[in-house]
Amino acid sequence: MERMVGIKDVAKHAGVSVGTVSNVINRPDMVSEETRHRVLSVIDRLGYVRSESARQLRAGRSRIMALLVLDMGNPFFVDVARGAERAAREAGLRVMVCNSGQSPSEEAEYLALFAEQRVQGVLLTPADATGRNIETFRRHGIPFVLVDRVAEGATECSVSVDDVMGGALAARHLVDAGHRSIAYVSGPPELNQVRDRREGARQALAEAGLGAAALRELPTERLDVAAGRDAGARVLGLAERPTAVFCANDLLALGVLQAMYAAGVRVPEDIAIVGYDDIEFAAAAVVPLTSVRQPAVTMGAMAAELLLEETEERPAGAHEHRRVVLVPELVVRRSSLPPR
């Protein structure tokens, strides 16, 4: 295996000191144009790459912003990452995107890695409902912002969407279309987003004079298409089949739609479906999917901006933690329209 080219090799081949090479890389204005060109030519010829880990040790932190989400297979989180990456790039930082897979143990391992790497800050969609992972990570003194989750205290910033309002928008739309029996395919019940969307749906049904029995919850272990297909089969197996299904995200809704299609059940004539997130695939489904839109790109960008604000050089205590709550929007498509 070839040895990695180091800064001493560059200095030797260029006939200058290690300090001069460092100045060429970090403070080029301190070096004459002739020397700078000679050193850069050697760097190019030898293929020298600066050690970022060494730079981090000197600076005390890296130029990396970490983003840890529940599921990078969900296009919603891809859009969150796009927004965060855009804001970070404008500040001269890069984003390291990681996936907890909705696993608290995976989340803990990644948070430990971020501490080891001395990342500048973390954007986090928590998988651990107990909050223990966050409390452990807090000891490292690395700033973090909660994404798609409301901060419960005043110890960190958060950017989220009003999921209670979102759940109410979905249920109210179905009630207005004439539905009185709705299934809620909810995902893992320990997730705050799942609970808030259910609460919103219940509130809307109560406002319409419908009791708790009007909403039947079907939890799933995951928030993906396969779980949605399984939930769709469970809906079809109910003794009293609901006339509509509200899903905690679009991947679940697409899975339910696939299950209905495979069973010959017509959407929306026999059963209506509403999703959540309004990912790109929602509009492109065989039956375009009604969905509650979350401004995912905006959410990621705002979270990154809050983190950058917190990590700026400023007097201790000058940063005020904020909770930003964005407004969802119902996008109506054919999957929930009443038959003409």
Side-chain angles (χ1 to χ4, degrees), residues 5-266:
V5 175
I7 193 170
K8 292 181 179 179
D9 300 306
V10 174
K12 178 180 178 181
H13 283 77
V16 297
S17 68
V18 169
T20 298
V21 177
S22 178
N23 284 337
V24 169
I25 296 170
N26 299 298
R27 297 174 293 276
D29 55 308
M30 297 182 62
V31 184
S32 69
E33 184 176 354
E34 178 185 351
T35 300
R36 187 166 65 250
H37 284 316
R38 184 165 77 251
V39 171
L40 290 174
S41 177
V42 171
I43 287 174
D44 184 61
R45 176 161 52 87
L46 297 181
Y48 168 73
V49 178
R50 178 175 61 173
S51 171
E52 180 63 15
S53 59
R55 192 203 66 80
Q56 288 174 207
L57 287 172
R58 291 192 299 272
R61 62 181 182 179
S62 76
R63 294 180 300 165
I64 299 297
M65 178 185 297
L67 171 63
L68 181 57
V69 300
L70 294 177
D71 180 13
M72 277 308 295
N74 186 339
F76 166 74
F77 288 113
V78 175
D79 286 342
V80 169
R82 283 174 50 215
E85 196 275 335
R86 181 187 305 164
R89 186 174 63 246
E90 290 175 356
L93 302 179
R94 293 295 180 264
V95 177
M96 175 171 60
V97 181
C98 300
N99 176 35
S100 71
Q102 302 175 36
S103 166
S105 61
E106 289 285 328
E107 176 181 84
E109 290 179 9
Y110 274 121
L111 290 174
L113 174 66
F114 299 156
E116 290 174 6
Q117 295 297 315
R118 302 183 184 185
V119 298
Q120 185 151 130
V122 177
L123 307 178
L124 172 65
T125 303
D128 178 21
T130 69
R132 284 192 291 266
N133 286 343
I134 289 178
E135 289 308 310
T136 300
F137 183 70
R138 199 189 302 277
R139 300 170 190 164
H140 298 289
I142 298 174
F144 64 93
V145 173
L146 300 182
V147 183
D148 197 29
R149 167 85 173 269
V150 179
E152 296 179 358
T155 53
E156 61 269 337
C157 292
S158 67
V159 182
S160 62
V161 164
D162 189 337
D163 283 319
V164 174
M165 178 187 291
L169 286 172
R172 195 174 295 124
H173 166 69
L174 291 171
V175 170
D176 290 345
H179 298 283
R180 297 296 180 268
S181 177
I182 302 169
Y184 175 45
V185 177
S186 62
E190 67 272 11
L191 293 179
N192 285 35
Q193 299 92 324
V194 165
R195 296 197 297 267
D196 287 348
R197 293 165 196 178
R198 177 184 60 215
E199 177 59 26
R202 284 178 173 171
Q203 288 180 13
L205 293 175
E207 291 168 4
L210 299 173
L215 187 72
R216 285 180 283 180
E217 184 172 0
L218 282 74
T220 63
E221 292 185 0
R222 301 188 63 79
L223 290 160
D224 54 25
V225 174
R229 284 195 297 267
D230 176 69
R234 289 155 61 195
V235 169
L236 293 172
L238 292 173
E240 296 183 13
R241 184 183 300 174
T243 61
V245 181
F246 168 42
C247 298
N249 77 358
D250 284 341
L251 296 183
L252 288 172
L254 291 171
V256 171
L257 179 60
Q258 289 179 7
M260 298 302 143
Y261 185 82
V265 176
R266 298 173 302 166

